[in-house]
Amino acid sequence: MKTFKNPKLLLFTPLLILNVISLFNMINAKFISIVYEKAFIKQLIWFLLGYLIIFILSKIKLKKLFKYASYLYFFTIFLLILVLFLGEDINGAKCWLSIFGFTFQPSELVKLTLSLYLIEIVCNFKIKNIKDEFILIIKLFITTIIPCILVFLEPDTGAIINYLIILLVVLFYAKLNKWWYIFFFSIGFILLTAFFVMYFFFQDFLIDIIGTSFFYRMDRLINFANGNSYQLENALITIGASSFFGTGFNKILLYIPEAPTDFFFAFSIGNFGVFSAILIVLSFFTINLFLIFRLNKINNKKFKMFMLCYLGIFIFHQLYNISMNVGLLPIMGIPLPFLSYGGTNTLINYIFLGIILKLLNEKKSC
């Protein structure tokens, strides 16, 4: 990093490359569905808004952002409750709210507010003994479980994983007694083992406990390799049949449902070949390196936790989405950051980056 006069180029250069790749693919998105007829224009607007957000955040003080973290958190919890009653039902899921013609996904916003609030809880909590540690753990778990339950009802399994990643990061930096971590690992292992024992040997009993809907949701995830879905089959065919530079503009190799969103990686390979996949992987790798190097230079506990929360989510989305596109992991609604079509996810990623870039210049400790 020291060899670069402006290390932020290691962030913005690959970020712009990802933006261009996304926009090129949005030109072809209109062939997937009429829903994506204006995908290019919308995605361009979201990218421009994202850079505007980074600029605005660079000019304001962010102390109040952590100070009012609790209010922001409870506001997003209210939005999650609201979406269960007034949300738009798309493909069997109520995940989106529409206000004055603008549609957004509250579960994405929770990633930001949950990170801020959990970090603020840890930084403001005074630990003197084992009882205080227990109280802190309970508070962190309850704060995380509330949005997990609400999002589960939508349902949005991918969002729950994001929240758990944030919780794990905060617990790691809470500096609890090592026996707590051993205890959590043991409990998790026992529960997971019990689940699989009941799944394979006592399915009727398991259905009575967790319900039919949740059981079949888990069943699809566990048995994803035994029967590929139509979209995964088409994604794999697209990847296998693509040339180095793909089919180009205004033509798609094969129809893939949800191609501009969940299956963007396969869609891009079909449109612009293996070359686009190489650019995507290298761009993500460079951004990851930038964030990791900057993370190691931060001594501020609060800022380090926030940056690590985003880094965990960011890398998880990359690895899971690409693995899902090539059939290595079950299909879930995990978008590819700065590439997949969608305003809420895109803007939340830019907000995270804007806050991180601003915090890198802050010196106040936790």
Side-chain angles (χ1 to χ4, degrees):
M1 296 289 287
K2 292 181 180 179
T3 59
F4 291 89
K5 293 182 178 179
N6 187 2
K8 290 182 181 179
L9 285 175
L10 288 176
L11 172 65
F12 286 106
T13 301
L15 186 58
L16 284 170
I17 291 173
L18 293 177
N19 294 159
V20 171
I21 292 174
S22 177
L23 291 172
F24 279 3
N25 280 279
M26 292 309 128
I27 294 174
N28 283 5
K30 59 180 177 289
F31 297 109
I32 300 298
S33 169
I34 193 173
V35 173
Y36 306 116
E37 185 69 30
K38 298 180 179 179
F40 175 83
I41 296 297
K42 289 184 178 180
Q43 194 80 333
L44 177 61
I45 292 173
W46 292 327
F47 286 152
L48 293 176
L49 284 175
Y51 287 106
L52 178 62
I53 287 171
I54 290 179
F55 176 77
I56 293 173
L57 289 173
S58 70
K59 301 298 180 182
I60 63 176
K61 294 183 178 180
L62 297 179
K63 295 178 182 179
K64 291 184 179 180
L65 191 62
F66 285 96
K67 182 179 178 181
Y68 297 111
S70 60
Y71 299 102
L72 294 172
Y73 167 80
F74 285 110
F75 173 70
T76 51
I77 293 300
F78 169 73
L79 291 179
L80 288 181
I81 295 173
L82 199 64
V83 80
L84 293 176
F85 294 96
L86 303 177
E88 292 189 9
D89 194 323
I90 301 176
N91 295 329
K94 279 190 174 183
C95 302
W96 295 267
L97 274 178
S98 181
I99 300 178
F100 301 116
F102 294 95
T103 302
F104 70 100
Q105 196 170 352
S107 60
E108 288 290 329
L109 187 57
V110 174
K111 292 190 298 189
L112 175 64
T113 60
L114 181 64
S115 299
L116 293 170
Y117 189 38
L118 290 185
I119 292 169
E120 197 66 11
I121 290 173
V122 169
C123 287
N124 292 331
F125 200 91
K126 305 299 180 182
I127 298 177
K128 297 179 180 179
N129 50 47
I130 194 73
K131 180 182 177 181
D132 291 336
E133 289 188 356
F134 178 72
I135 294 173
L136 174 61
I137 291 169
I138 293 299
K139 191 169 184 179
L140 293 175
F141 267 92
I142 292 176
T143 303
T144 307
I145 288 299
I146 292 173
C148 284
I149 293 173
L150 293 173
V151 167
F152 175 79
L153 296 174
E154 293 182 358
D156 186 353
T157 309
I160 295 174
I161 297 175
N162 289 322
Y163 305 158
L164 294 179
I165 290 173
I166 295 168
L167 175 63
L168 289 175
V169 170
V170 174
L171 283 173
F172 175 78
Y173 270 94
K175 294 183 178 180
L176 304 173
N177 187 296
K178 65 179 181 180
W179 291 107
W180 284 116
Y181 301 108
I182 295 173
F183 173 75
F184 294 142
F185 176 81
S186 301
I187 292 297
F189 179 78
I190 291 170
L191 291 175
L192 196 61
T193 302
F195 172 82
F196 280 108
V197 168
M198 287 188 289
Y199 175 82
F200 287 109
F201 301 105
F202 306 98
Q203 287 194 358
D204 291 338
F205 179 65
L206 182 61
I207 292 174
D208 290 337
I209 295 175
I210 64 176
T212 304
S213 177
F214 182 57
F215 174 82
Y216 285 113
R217 202 185 309 171
M218 292 297 100
D219 185 61
R220 286 195 299 270
L221 292 177
I222 294 171
N223 292 291
F224 79 99
N226 294 333
N228 290 341
S229 68
Y230 171 69
Q231 56 186 346
L232 179 56
E233 288 179 354
N234 281 14
L236 294 175
I237 293 172
T238 296
I239 293 172
S242 296
S243 63
F244 190 75
F245 291 107
T247 58
F249 293 106
N250 297 319
K251 183 180 179 182
I252 59 173
L253 188 62
L254 190 65
Y255 172 75
I256 307 173
E258 308 298 333
T261 53
D262 296 345
F263 280 85
F264 181 93
F265 189 70
F267 185 53
S268 184
I269 293 176
N271 292 330
F272 303 104
V274 178
F275 177 68
S276 71
I278 294 172
L279 282 179
I280 289 171
V281 172
L282 288 178
S283 296
F284 278 134
F285 180 74
T286 306
I287 295 173
N288 294 341
L289 276 184
F290 171 85
L291 294 175
I292 291 170
F293 271 104
R294 303 304 291 178
L295 179 68
N296 289 331
K297 293 180 178 293
I298 297 176
N299 296 319
N300 186 310
K301 179 182 175 182
K302 179 183 291 187
F303 301 163
K304 199 163 190 171
M305 278 195 289
F306 182 82
M307 194 168 178
L308 193 56
C309 282
Y310 178 65
L311 188 59
I313 295 171
F314 185 57
I315 293 178
F316 165 72
H317 274 245
Q318 298 166 37
L319 295 178
Y320 196 99
N321 182 278
I322 293 174
S323 298
M324 179 181 74
N325 273 237
V326 298
L328 296 178
L329 290 173
I331 298 173
M332 284 198 292
I334 306 291
L336 204 51
F338 303 110
L339 288 169
S340 293
Y341 176 74
T344 312
N345 177 262
T346 298
L347 293 180
I348 290 299
N349 275 293
Y350 276 106
I351 292 172
F352 265 108
L353 278 186
I355 294 173
I356 287 171
L357 290 172
K358 178 64 175 179
L359 293 182
L360 288 174
N361 297 321
E362 298 287 343
K363 295 182 179 180
K364 184 177 178 182
S365 61
C366 177

